[in-house]
């Protein structure tokens, strides 16, 4: 209903019935996500909401990553947001990634470094970029994979953090090749050593499996 030309009292203002719930959900999302730039994040939130797209919202309030000596910007919660938004297709455009990245107020230089490290063109293979994001969080190959499992798993928080073994193989192989000093024989032997555990878990692998095998 259009507003009258002149408003003389509060009763003339028509408030949509869903507005209180929308604002309540927005407030809860902002508290969980703790965006550095609230206005920029809010614009991205309501834009995604209007389009029925995944919202730039963390599952929960997260503490700083203990392995990060300085604030690198990217966190497991923020990487999970990006994964939820951009993993619907095998690839995404660089422009699309930049928009989602900036909406979370993440450092532009960090994005440039990751894009350069992966030698990406205009089209970005999402799982490869995701793997690089995990490496930025983890520092080492195994800790990067641990973050990958914890972000990708459908298990409840604190559970086994299981993911499909074929996904693990792709992430491990990509990061190992990227390091450049991991022999192919070591990669093959390591993956083969995991197969007995995987067979018992219906094609899934969990964090404890590869940590034990590697050590």
């Amino acid at each position: 209903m259009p507003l009258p030309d002149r408003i003389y009292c509060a009763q003339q203002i028509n408030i949509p019935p869903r507005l209180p719930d929308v604002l309540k959900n927005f407030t809860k999302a902002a508290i969980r996500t703790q965006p550095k730039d609230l206005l920029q994040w809010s614009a991205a939130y309501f834009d995604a909401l209007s389009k029925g797209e995944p919202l730039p919202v963390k599952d929960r309030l997260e503490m700083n990553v203990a392995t990060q000596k300085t604030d690198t910007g990217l966190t497991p919660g923020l990487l999970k947001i990006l994964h939820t938004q951009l993993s619907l297709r095998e690839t995404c455009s660089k422009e699309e990634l930049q928009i989602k990245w900036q909406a979370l107020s993440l450092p532009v230089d960090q994005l440039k470094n990751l894009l350069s490290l992966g030698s990406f063109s205009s089209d970005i293979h999402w799982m490869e970029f995701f793997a690089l994001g995990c490496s930025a969080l983890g520092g080492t190959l195994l800790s990067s994979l641990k973050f990958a499992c914890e972000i990708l798993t459908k298990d409840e928080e604190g559970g086994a953090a299981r993911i499909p073994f074929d996904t693990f193989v792709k992430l491990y192989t990509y990061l190992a090749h990227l390091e450049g000093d991991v022999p192919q024989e070591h990669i093959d032997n390591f993956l083969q050593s995991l197969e007995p555990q995987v067979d018992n878990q219906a094609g899934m692998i969990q964090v404890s499996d590869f940590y034990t095998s590697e050590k």
Side-chain angles (χ1 to χ4, degrees):
M1 181 180 73
L3 292 175
D5 293 336
R6 294 183 181 180
I7 297 177
Y8 299 96
C9 63
Q11 286 73 16
Q12 290 178 270
I13 301 176
N14 180 35
I15 300 178
R18 291 184 60 244
L19 183 59
D21 287 338
V22 170
L23 295 179
K24 182 189 297 184
N25 292 336
F26 165 75
T27 302
K28 289 180 179 179
I31 292 173
R32 287 203 308 273
T33 307
Q34 296 286 304
K36 292 183 179 180
D37 188 328
L38 181 59
L39 290 179
Q40 183 169 257
W41 176 84
S42 299
Y45 177 93
F46 285 109
D47 181 62
L49 184 65
S50 68
K51 296 176 180 177
E53 298 176 350
L55 301 175
V57 180
K58 292 180 181 179
D59 293 338
R60 63 186 184 281
L61 184 65
E62 64 177 340
M63 304 300 291
N64 292 332
V65 180
T67 56
Q68 293 178 201
K69 295 181 179 179
T70 59
D71 180 14
T72 63
L74 193 63
T75 67
L78 294 177
L79 183 56
K80 186 171 184 177
I81 289 176
L82 292 171
H83 179 72
T84 301
Q85 294 179 317
L86 297 171
S87 65
L88 300 178
R89 303 187 307 274
E90 185 176 348
T91 63
C92 66
S93 68
K94 184 180 294 186
E95 180 182 8
E96 187 178 8
L97 173 57
Q98 289 172 334
I99 291 173
K100 302 298 186 186
W101 187 273
Q102 291 172 3
L104 299 174
S105 302
L106 289 167
V108 175
D109 288 343
Q110 187 180 28
L111 176 59
K112 290 180 179 178
N113 290 338
L114 292 175
L115 292 174
S116 176
L117 185 60
S119 300
F120 295 109
S121 59
S122 57
D123 290 327
I124 297 170
H125 188 285
W126 172 250
M127 289 305 292
E128 291 181 358
F129 184 88
F130 173 80
L132 291 176
C134 291
S135 70
L137 295 172
T140 66
L141 182 54
L142 284 186
S143 58
S144 300
L145 292 165
K146 178 177 181 292
F147 278 115
C149 288
E150 292 172 346
I151 292 172
L152 295 177
T153 188
K154 296 186 182 300
D155 293 336
E156 294 183 1
E157 182 182 356
R162 297 168 298 173
I163 65 171
F165 184 57
D166 59 348
T167 300
F168 177 87
V169 169
K170 292 175 183 177
L171 293 172
Y172 177 81
T173 303
Y174 177 73
L175 290 176
H177 284 159
L178 203 64
E179 286 194 359
D181 57 353
V182 181
Q184 184 62 45
E185 182 180 5
H186 176 87
I187 296 174
D188 295 339
N189 291 338
F190 176 55
L191 293 175
Q192 288 174 7
S193 72
L194 296 176
E195 291 180 359
Q197 295 99 305
V198 174
D199 291 340
N200 294 330
Q201 296 173 17
M204 306 289 279
I205 187 171
Q206 61 189 40
V207 170
S208 61
D209 290 336
F210 63 81
Y211 259 90
T212 302
S213 296
E214 183 71 356
K215 291 177 180 179

PDB file of all heavy atoms in Angstrom, residues 162-181:
ATOM      1  N   ARG A 162      34.278 -36.050   9.120  1.00  0.00           N
ATOM      2  CA  ARG A 162      34.472 -36.922   7.964  1.00  0.00           C
ATOM      3  C   ARG A 162      34.130 -36.199   6.666  1.00  0.00           C
ATOM      4  O   ARG A 162      33.211 -35.375   6.629  1.00  0.00           O
ATOM      5  CB  ARG A 162      33.585 -38.164   8.095  1.00  0.00           C
ATOM      6  CG  ARG A 162      33.901 -39.056   9.284  1.00  0.00           C
ATOM      7  CD  ARG A 162      32.800 -40.073   9.494  1.00  0.00           C
ATOM      8  NE  ARG A 162      31.537 -39.401   9.800  1.00  0.00           N
ATOM      9  CZ  ARG A 162      30.370 -40.035   9.901  1.00  0.00           C
ATOM     10  NH1 ARG A 162      30.307 -41.341   9.700  1.00  0.00           N
ATOM     11  NH2 ARG A 162      29.268 -39.371  10.205  1.00  0.00           N
ATOM     12  N   ILE A 163      34.872 -36.512   5.616  1.00  0.00           N
ATOM     13  CA  ILE A 163      34.563 -36.027   4.272  1.00  0.00           C
ATOM     14  C   ILE A 163      34.777 -37.184   3.297  1.00  0.00           C
ATOM     15  O   ILE A 163      35.470 -38.158   3.626  1.00  0.00           O
ATOM     16  CB  ILE A 163      35.433 -34.825   3.862  1.00  0.00           C
ATOM     17  CG1 ILE A 163      36.911 -35.227   3.744  1.00  0.00           C
ATOM     18  CG2 ILE A 163      35.260 -33.659   4.839  1.00  0.00           C
ATOM     19  CD1 ILE A 163      37.784 -34.145   3.129  1.00  0.00           C
ATOM     20  N   PRO A 164      34.206 -37.114   2.089  1.00  0.00           N
ATOM     21  CA  PRO A 164      34.434 -38.170   1.101  1.00  0.00           C
ATOM     22  C   PRO A 164      35.922 -38.317   0.783  1.00  0.00           C
ATOM     23  O   PRO A 164      36.635 -37.322   0.641  1.00  0.00           O
ATOM     24  CB  PRO A 164      33.649 -37.686  -0.120  1.00  0.00           C
ATOM     25  CG  PRO A 164      32.587 -36.798   0.442  1.00  0.00           C
ATOM     26  CD  PRO A 164      33.231 -36.117   1.614  1.00  0.00           C
ATOM     27  N   PHE A 165      36.376 -39.563   0.667  1.00  0.00           N
ATOM     28  CA  PHE A 165      37.795 -39.813   0.427  1.00  0.00           C
ATOM     29  C   PHE A 165      38.246 -39.230  -0.909  1.00  0.00           C
ATOM     30  O   PHE A 165      39.372 -38.738  -1.022  1.00  0.00           O
ATOM     31  CB  PHE A 165      38.074 -41.317   0.463  1.00  0.00           C
ATOM     32  CG  PHE A 165      39.528 -41.657   0.322  1.00  0.00           C
ATOM     33  CD1 PHE A 165      40.475 -41.153   1.197  1.00  0.00           C
ATOM     34  CD2 PHE A 165      39.970 -42.485  -0.721  1.00  0.00           C
ATOM     35  CE1 PHE A 165      41.819 -41.463   1.067  1.00  0.00           C
ATOM     36  CE2 PHE A 165      41.315 -42.803  -0.856  1.00  0.00           C
ATOM     37  CZ  PHE A 165      42.235 -42.289   0.035  1.00  0.00           C
ATOM     38  N   ASP A 166      37.391 -39.282  -1.937  1.00  0.00           N
ATOM     39  CA  ASP A 166      37.809 -38.732  -3.227  1.00  0.00           C
ATOM     40  C   ASP A 166      38.042 -37.227  -3.150  1.00  0.00           C
ATOM     41  O   ASP A 166      38.925 -36.688  -3.824  1.00  0.00           O
ATOM     42  CB  ASP A 166      36.801 -39.079  -4.326  1.00  0.00           C
ATOM     43  CG  ASP A 166      35.405 -38.554  -4.047  1.00  0.00           C
ATOM     44  OD1 ASP A 166      35.137 -38.114  -2.910  1.00  0.00           O
ATOM     45  OD2 ASP A 166      34.573 -38.572  -4.977  1.00  0.00           O
ATOM     46  N   THR A 167      37.259 -36.533  -2.296  1.00  0.00           N
ATOM     47  CA  THR A 167      37.499 -35.104  -2.076  1.00  0.00           C
ATOM     48  C   THR A 167      38.837 -34.888  -1.384  1.00  0.00           C
ATOM     49  O   THR A 167      39.615 -33.994  -1.756  1.00  0.00           O
ATOM     50  CB  THR A 167      36.372 -34.492  -1.224  1.00  0.00           C
ATOM     51  OG1 THR A 167      35.125 -34.646  -1.908  1.00  0.00           O
ATOM     52  CG2 THR A 167      36.620 -33.015  -0.961  1.00  0.00           C
ATOM     53  N   PHE A 168      39.122 -35.718  -0.376  1.00  0.00           N
ATOM     54  CA  PHE A 168      40.402 -35.633   0.332  1.00  0.00           C
ATOM     55  C   PHE A 168      41.569 -35.859  -0.623  1.00  0.00           C
ATOM     56  O   PHE A 168      42.573 -35.137  -0.574  1.00  0.00           O
ATOM     57  CB  PHE A 168      40.440 -36.663   1.457  1.00  0.00           C
ATOM     58  CG  PHE A 168      41.741 -36.698   2.206  1.00  0.00           C
ATOM     59  CD1 PHE A 168      41.959 -35.861   3.288  1.00  0.00           C
ATOM     60  CD2 PHE A 168      42.764 -37.561   1.824  1.00  0.00           C
ATOM     61  CE1 PHE A 168      43.169 -35.882   3.977  1.00  0.00           C
ATOM     62  CE2 PHE A 168      43.970 -37.588   2.499  1.00  0.00           C
ATOM     63  CZ  PHE A 168      44.174 -36.744   3.585  1.00  0.00           C
ATOM     64  N   VAL A 169      41.445 -36.861  -1.499  1.00  0.00           N
ATOM     65  CA  VAL A 169      42.512 -37.181  -2.452  1.00  0.00           C
ATOM     66  C   VAL A 169      42.807 -35.970  -3.342  1.00  0.00           C
ATOM     67  O   VAL A 169      43.977 -35.616  -3.569  1.00  0.00           O
ATOM     68  CB  VAL A 169      42.120 -38.391  -3.324  1.00  0.00           C
ATOM     69  CG1 VAL A 169      43.100 -38.562  -4.487  1.00  0.00           C
ATOM     70  CG2 VAL A 169      42.086 -39.658  -2.474  1.00  0.00           C
ATOM     71  N   LYS A 170      41.773 -35.319  -3.840  1.00  0.00           N
ATOM     72  CA  LYS A 170      41.959 -34.163  -4.720  1.00  0.00           C
ATOM     73  C   LYS A 170      42.643 -33.011  -3.987  1.00  0.00           C
ATOM     74  O   LYS A 170      43.557 -32.379  -4.515  1.00  0.00           O
ATOM     75  CB  LYS A 170      40.615 -33.721  -5.291  1.00  0.00           C
ATOM     76  CG  LYS A 170      39.998 -34.716  -6.259  1.00  0.00           C
ATOM     77  CD  LYS A 170      38.607 -34.269  -6.696  1.00  0.00           C
ATOM     78  CE  LYS A 170      37.972 -35.306  -7.617  1.00  0.00           C
ATOM     79  NZ  LYS A 170      36.588 -34.925  -8.002  1.00  0.00           N
ATOM     80  N   LEU A 171      42.205 -32.739  -2.757  1.00  0.00           N
ATOM     81  CA  LEU A 171      42.792 -31.644  -1.985  1.00  0.00           C
ATOM     82  C   LEU A 171      44.243 -31.935  -1.626  1.00  0.00           C
ATOM     83  O   LEU A 171      45.125 -31.082  -1.777  1.00  0.00           O
ATOM     84  CB  LEU A 171      41.976 -31.404  -0.710  1.00  0.00           C
ATOM     85  CG  LEU A 171      40.549 -30.876  -0.895  1.00  0.00           C
ATOM     86  CD1 LEU A 171      39.809 -30.881   0.443  1.00  0.00           C
ATOM     87  CD2 LEU A 171      40.555 -29.477  -1.495  1.00  0.00           C
ATOM     88  N   TYR A 172      44.490 -33.158  -1.144  1.00  0.00           N
ATOM     89  CA  TYR A 172      45.847 -33.539  -0.746  1.00  0.00           C
ATOM     90  C   TYR A 172      46.793 -33.500  -1.941  1.00  0.00           C
ATOM     91  O   TYR A 172      47.900 -32.940  -1.863  1.00  0.00           O
ATOM     92  CB  TYR A 172      45.840 -34.932  -0.123  1.00  0.00           C
ATOM     93  CG  TYR A 172      47.221 -35.436   0.255  1.00  0.00           C
ATOM     94  CD1 TYR A 172      47.827 -35.044   1.443  1.00  0.00           C
ATOM     95  CD2 TYR A 172      47.923 -36.289  -0.592  1.00  0.00           C
ATOM     96  CE1 TYR A 172      49.087 -35.487   1.783  1.00  0.00           C
ATOM     97  CE2 TYR A 172      49.187 -36.742  -0.258  1.00  0.00           C
ATOM     98  CZ  TYR A 172      49.765 -36.337   0.928  1.00  0.00           C
ATOM     99  OH  TYR A 172      51.034 -36.772   1.262  1.00  0.00           O
ATOM    100  N   THR A 173      46.366 -34.076  -3.047  1.00  0.00           N
ATOM    101  CA  THR A 173      47.223 -34.136  -4.241  1.00  0.00           C
ATOM    102  C   THR A 173      47.523 -32.736  -4.766  1.00  0.00           C
ATOM    103  O   THR A 173      48.670 -32.424  -5.120  1.00  0.00           O
ATOM    104  CB  THR A 173      46.543 -34.978  -5.338  1.00  0.00           C
ATOM    105  OG1 THR A 173      46.252 -36.286  -4.830  1.00  0.00           O
ATOM    106  CG2 THR A 173      47.445 -35.103  -6.555  1.00  0.00           C
ATOM    107  N   TYR A 174      46.515 -31.891  -4.799  1.00  0.00           N
ATOM    108  CA  TYR A 174      46.712 -30.526  -5.304  1.00  0.00           C
ATOM    109  C   TYR A 174      47.707 -29.765  -4.438  1.00  0.00           C
ATOM    110  O   TYR A 174      48.652 -29.142  -4.950  1.00  0.00           O
ATOM    111  CB  TYR A 174      45.379 -29.796  -5.340  1.00  0.00           C
ATOM    112  CG  TYR A 174      45.490 -28.354  -5.770  1.00  0.00           C
ATOM    113  CD1 TYR A 174      45.736 -28.012  -7.098  1.00  0.00           C
ATOM    114  CD2 TYR A 174      45.366 -27.324  -4.845  1.00  0.00           C
ATOM    115  CE1 TYR A 174      45.845 -26.684  -7.497  1.00  0.00           C
ATOM    116  CE2 TYR A 174      45.469 -25.991  -5.223  1.00  0.00           C
ATOM    117  CZ  TYR A 174      45.709 -25.677  -6.551  1.00  0.00           C
ATOM    118  OH  TYR A 174      45.833 -24.363  -6.934  1.00  0.00           O
ATOM    119  N   LEU A 175      47.520 -29.798  -3.126  1.00  0.00           N
ATOM    120  CA  LEU A 175      48.409 -29.058  -2.229  1.00  0.00           C
ATOM    121  C   LEU A 175      49.817 -29.650  -2.211  1.00  0.00           C
ATOM    122  O   LEU A 175      50.804 -28.907  -2.143  1.00  0.00           O
ATOM    123  CB  LEU A 175      47.826 -29.033  -0.820  1.00  0.00           C
ATOM    124  CG  LEU A 175      46.570 -28.179  -0.625  1.00  0.00           C
ATOM    125  CD1 LEU A 175      46.039 -28.309   0.801  1.00  0.00           C
ATOM    126  CD2 LEU A 175      46.854 -26.714  -0.949  1.00  0.00           C
ATOM    127  N   ALA A 176      49.914 -30.982  -2.288  1.00  0.00           N
ATOM    128  CA  ALA A 176      51.232 -31.620  -2.295  1.00  0.00           C
ATOM    129  C   ALA A 176      52.011 -31.246  -3.542  1.00  0.00           C
ATOM    130  O   ALA A 176      53.214 -30.942  -3.484  1.00  0.00           O
ATOM    131  CB  ALA A 176      51.077 -33.138  -2.211  1.00  0.00           C
ATOM    132  N   HIS A 177      51.347 -31.236  -4.693  1.00  0.00           N
ATOM    133  CA  HIS A 177      52.014 -30.821  -5.934  1.00  0.00           C
ATOM    134  C   HIS A 177      52.391 -29.348  -5.889  1.00  0.00           C
ATOM    135  O   HIS A 177      53.437 -28.941  -6.425  1.00  0.00           O
ATOM    136  CB  HIS A 177      51.090 -31.079  -7.125  1.00  0.00           C
ATOM    137  CG  HIS A 177      51.007 -32.527  -7.514  1.00  0.00           C
ATOM    138  ND1 HIS A 177      49.958 -33.050  -8.242  1.00  0.00           N
ATOM    139  CD2 HIS A 177      51.834 -33.571  -7.269  1.00  0.00           C
ATOM    140  CE1 HIS A 177      50.153 -34.345  -8.435  1.00  0.00           C
ATOM    141  NE2 HIS A 177      51.292 -34.685  -7.843  1.00  0.00           N
ATOM    142  N   LEU A 178      51.553 -28.560  -5.245  1.00  0.00           N
ATOM    143  CA  LEU A 178      51.825 -27.123  -5.167  1.00  0.00           C
ATOM    144  C   LEU A 178      53.063 -26.842  -4.321  1.00  0.00           C
ATOM    145  O   LEU A 178      53.812 -25.894  -4.600  1.00  0.00           O
ATOM    146  CB  LEU A 178      50.610 -26.404  -4.576  1.00  0.00           C
ATOM    147  CG  LEU A 178      50.464 -24.918  -4.910  1.00  0.00           C
ATOM    148  CD1 LEU A 178      50.254 -24.733  -6.405  1.00  0.00           C
ATOM    149  CD2 LEU A 178      49.281 -24.320  -4.147  1.00  0.00           C
ATOM    150  N   GLU A 179      53.276 -27.661  -3.304  1.00  0.00           N
ATOM    151  CA  GLU A 179      54.467 -27.481  -2.468  1.00  0.00           C
ATOM    152  C   GLU A 179      55.741 -27.746  -3.261  1.00  0.00           C
ATOM    153  O   GLU A 179      56.792 -27.163  -2.982  1.00  0.00           O
ATOM    154  CB  GLU A 179      54.403 -28.397  -1.248  1.00  0.00           C
ATOM    155  CG  GLU A 179      53.402 -27.930  -0.197  1.00  0.00           C
ATOM    156  CD  GLU A 179      53.582 -28.638   1.127  1.00  0.00           C
ATOM    157  OE1 GLU A 179      54.486 -29.509   1.220  1.00  0.00           O
ATOM    158  OE2 GLU A 179      52.837 -28.313   2.071  1.00  0.00           O
ATOM    159  N   GLY A 180      55.662 -28.657  -4.215  1.00  0.00           N
ATOM    160  CA  GLY A 180      56.781 -28.884  -5.124  1.00  0.00           C
ATOM    161  C   GLY A 180      57.847 -29.829  -4.635  1.00  0.00           C
ATOM    162  O   GLY A 180      58.639 -30.332  -5.432  1.00  0.00           O
ATOM    163  N   ASP A 181      57.916 -30.112  -3.348  1.00  0.00           N
ATOM    164  CA  ASP A 181      58.987 -30.964  -2.821  1.00  0.00           C
ATOM    165  C   ASP A 181      58.451 -32.282  -2.260  1.00  0.00           C
ATOM    166  O   ASP A 181      59.141 -32.983  -1.525  1.00  0.00           O
ATOM    167  CB  ASP A 181      59.787 -30.230  -1.742  1.00  0.00           C
ATOM    168  CG  ASP A 181      58.914 -29.751  -0.591  1.00  0.00           C
ATOM    169  OD1 ASP A 181      57.672 -29.882  -0.703  1.00  0.00           O
ATOM    170  OD2 ASP A 181      59.461 -29.244   0.404  1.00  0.00           O
TER     171      ASP A 181
END
